[in-house]
Structure formats: structure tokens, C-alpha cells
Amino acid sequence: MSHIIEVTVPPLPHYMLSGSMHVSPGGKHLSRKNIGVFDLLVISQGCLYVNEEGQDYEISAGHALILRPDCNHYGYSSCTEETVHHWLHFQILGDWRVIEEQEYYKQRAALEKEDTAYTPLHPFETSPFTLALPQFIKLPQPQKVIDTIDELTDMNRNSHHSSVRLKQQALFQEVISLLASSLETTTPSPGSVCAEKAAAYLREHYREAFSAKKLGESINFHPVYIARCMQKVFGCSPAAYMLLIRIEHSKLLLIQTDMPVERIAEEVGFNHAAYFTACFTKHEGLSPRKFRQLFAWNRES
């Protein structure tokens, strides 16, 4: 049985916190009861087995599940392979309800048949509307959702600044929009398919020198079309996307290892450490060495 979470807005859903987690084979999702927040899970690798209120969900790569704040959930089966999931906690401060997917589409069809526009009684009256979110779905653009959650997570370290929290809330609405639009069609557009394939290839081959020709041959699309699709879906060119992936991996190495910056630059695909430092500094606002000093784990504690 599929469910829809229908939200009355304003107010809009509110971002709280996000992160990612690796679950080794044999591990399970946490058991929790009435956690008080919505918990969005998006799987990028493997499969997570979660039960909520007696219903089992197999959340495989590319799928998303929203766990409700007023329910009990637990891992009903162990992971059989290395599993990576990205999580995001959010809150709905206004009214919301859960309805069956079949009932939702029935109600929507009836409203569309009426074809009546909402007219406020007063020119300054707030016009509320409903926002529908699928509780469980195969995402048409999974990598776009994952990248956005990762960006939100990366911003958490500076969330003590009001300006950063405002940017997070605006960015979170992109996640909400992607989830809501996935209800309109579960069949991704050709452009989304192309962009997702290109993103997957670049994530796998980020250590190699970028080649638009090789990328096109590998996923069987013309390089110009790939660039157009990635700009539309991810907001950047393939080369810029690969650069972001390299910086993403370099940050993990800076935090989790004692490798010299020069070695890290080589490890993530840069031929010259100076160019790596320049790119990293432009993107992060501080040099790799300062980043390490600020955010490296204290492994002695």
C-alpha cells in the first residue's frame, strides 16, 4: 500500500539537519519510536530494509522513503551488501495528513474536473494550498536529490550564521520540489536520464582526466546534449560537476587522513597541487590546509 503525505502550506516544511550513513553487511536501520520529525531516507548504494507501522519497505538505490514523526519504525532485515543512505530531518509546522495513493489521485482528478480557480475573499488574504509528497518512491532524478542533500549537509558546519541557515531553507525547498514533482511522473525525461547517467559516470571516473568525447562514448549521448542536460538538471557543466566531485572527495581525505595536500590532490585527480589548492580555495573559501585545521577529527580523543 502506497501513501501520500499531503501538507497544507504556508508554512512551508522546515529543514532541520541532514547527513549520510554507511551500513555494513549485517547491519540494520535504527529502531526508533515517535521521533517527532520527518526523516527522509535516500539510498545511493545497496538496500535498506525498514518497517513502519507494520509495513515493510525495501529501499534500494535510487529510492526514497519518508518516515513519519508519529510512528514506530525499525530495520526488519539486515543489509546484505554495503549500503549508503542519505538522511534529512525536516518538520512540518502546519497541518498535514496521510492518505492512500489511490485516494489521492481520485481526489485530484475530481478537482481537475471542476477546473475552478481559487479566488481570495480579500486582496491581501493568504492563499493556502496543498503540497503532496510521496512517502515511498523511485526517484526520477536520484542523484540530483542526493547532491542537494549533500550540499545541505556540507553547509551544516557554518549553520551558526543566519545567512547560511536561510540558504539551507531555500535549498531544502528544492528537495521538496523534486519529491513533489516525482508524483507527476515516475518516468524520467530523456534529459534527466542523460544527466543522471553522466553524473554516475563522472562520480566513478573522477580521478581520470576529463574528456567530453569519452564521456559521450561511454553513455552513448552527444557531448553537446550531455552538457545541455547537466546544466538543466545539475546547474553546471560536466567538467564543473567533476570538479565538485573531486573537491567533495578531497574534503573527506583532508578530514579523515593525514595525507599531505599534494598527495590528496593527486589522489582525487589533479595533476598539480597548486591548481587543486586554487580550485579548493575558490569553492570552499579557505585553503585545504586551513580546512583541515578547522574540521579535521581529533583522532587522539
Side-chain angles (χ1 to χ4, degrees), residues 42-105:
V42 182
I43 310 300
S44 59
Q45 178 184 330
C47 187
L48 205 60
Y49 304 90
V50 180
N51 178 289
E52 182 183 78
E53 297 294 319
Q55 182 163 343
D56 292 341
Y57 296 95
E58 289 188 19
I59 325 168
S60 57
H63 286 73
L65 172 68
I66 299 176
L67 296 171
R68 285 142 52 187
D70 56 343
C71 295
N72 302 339
H73 58 263
Y74 63 92
Y76 70 87
S77 185
S78 301
C79 295
T80 59
E81 58 184 313
E82 187 73 21
T83 297
V84 180
H85 73 271
H86 307 257
W87 57 269
L88 187 154
H89 290 169
F90 66 96
Q91 188 59 277
I92 295 175
L93 302 177
D95 295 331
W96 61 276
R97 64 170 183 158
V98 177
I99 58 176
E100 292 185 15
E101 189 175 51
Q102 185 176 0
E103 179 63 22
Y104 163 76
Y105 283 114

Side-chain angles (χ1 to χ4, degrees), residues 35-244:
I35 61 175
V37 296
F38 288 89
D39 186 4
L40 169 65
L41 303 176
V42 182
I43 310 300
S44 59
Q45 178 184 330
C47 187
L48 205 60
Y49 304 90
V50 180
N51 178 289
E52 182 183 78
E53 297 294 319
Q55 182 163 343
D56 292 341
Y57 296 95
E58 289 188 19
I59 325 168
S60 57
H63 286 73
L65 172 68
I66 299 176
L67 296 171
R68 285 142 52 187
D70 56 343
C71 295
N72 302 339
H73 58 263
Y74 63 92
Y76 70 87
S77 185
S78 301
C79 295
T80 59
E81 58 184 313
E82 187 73 21
T83 297
V84 180
H85 73 271
H86 307 257
W87 57 269
L88 187 154
H89 290 169
F90 66 96
Q91 188 59 277
I92 295 175
L93 302 177
D95 295 331
W96 61 276
R97 64 170 183 158
V98 177
I99 58 176
E100 292 185 15
E101 189 175 51
Q102 185 176 0
E103 179 63 22
Y104 163 76
Y105 283 114
K106 182 180 178 181
Q107 292 179 11
R108 193 175 76 169
L111 288 173
E112 290 175 351
K113 193 173 182 179
E114 291 178 7
D115 195 26
T116 55
Y118 174 81
T119 303
L121 297 175
H122 189 278
F124 302 112
E125 179 186 3
T126 300
S127 303
F129 61 95
T130 57
L131 176 69
L133 302 175
Q135 185 170 9
F136 180 59
I137 197 167
K138 178 175 173 57
L139 295 166
Q141 299 180 44
Q143 195 57 58
K144 175 64 176 176
V145 176
I146 290 168
D147 285 351
T148 307
I149 293 176
D150 286 345
E151 188 175 352
L152 281 164
T153 302
D154 193 46
M155 294 168 69
N156 282 337
R157 66 175 185 266
N158 292 318
S159 61
H160 54 285
H161 297 297
S162 297
S163 60
V164 173
R165 292 205 299 273
L166 178 60
K167 289 178 182 177
Q168 282 184 310
Q169 297 305 328
L171 188 60
F172 170 58
Q173 299 313 317
E174 292 187 23
V175 177
I176 291 296
S177 179
L178 287 166
L179 290 172
S181 63
S182 66
L183 269 180
E184 302 302 320
T185 174
T186 55
T187 303
S189 67
S192 295
V193 172
C194 174
E196 288 284 333
K197 285 186 176 181
Y201 175 88
L202 293 170
R203 283 185 167 273
E204 185 177 351
H205 299 273
Y206 69 91
R207 292 186 179 91
E208 303 172 10
F210 174 75
S211 169
K213 181 181 178 181
K214 190 174 181 181
L215 171 61
E217 291 173 347
S218 298
I219 66 172
N220 201 27
F221 287 103
H222 193 281
V224 175
Y225 180 68
I226 294 173
R228 190 186 308 130
C229 293
M230 289 209 71
Q231 186 66 47
K232 184 176 181 180
V233 174
F234 293 99
C236 63
S237 67
Y241 188 86
M242 176 177 268
L243 178 63
L244 293 175

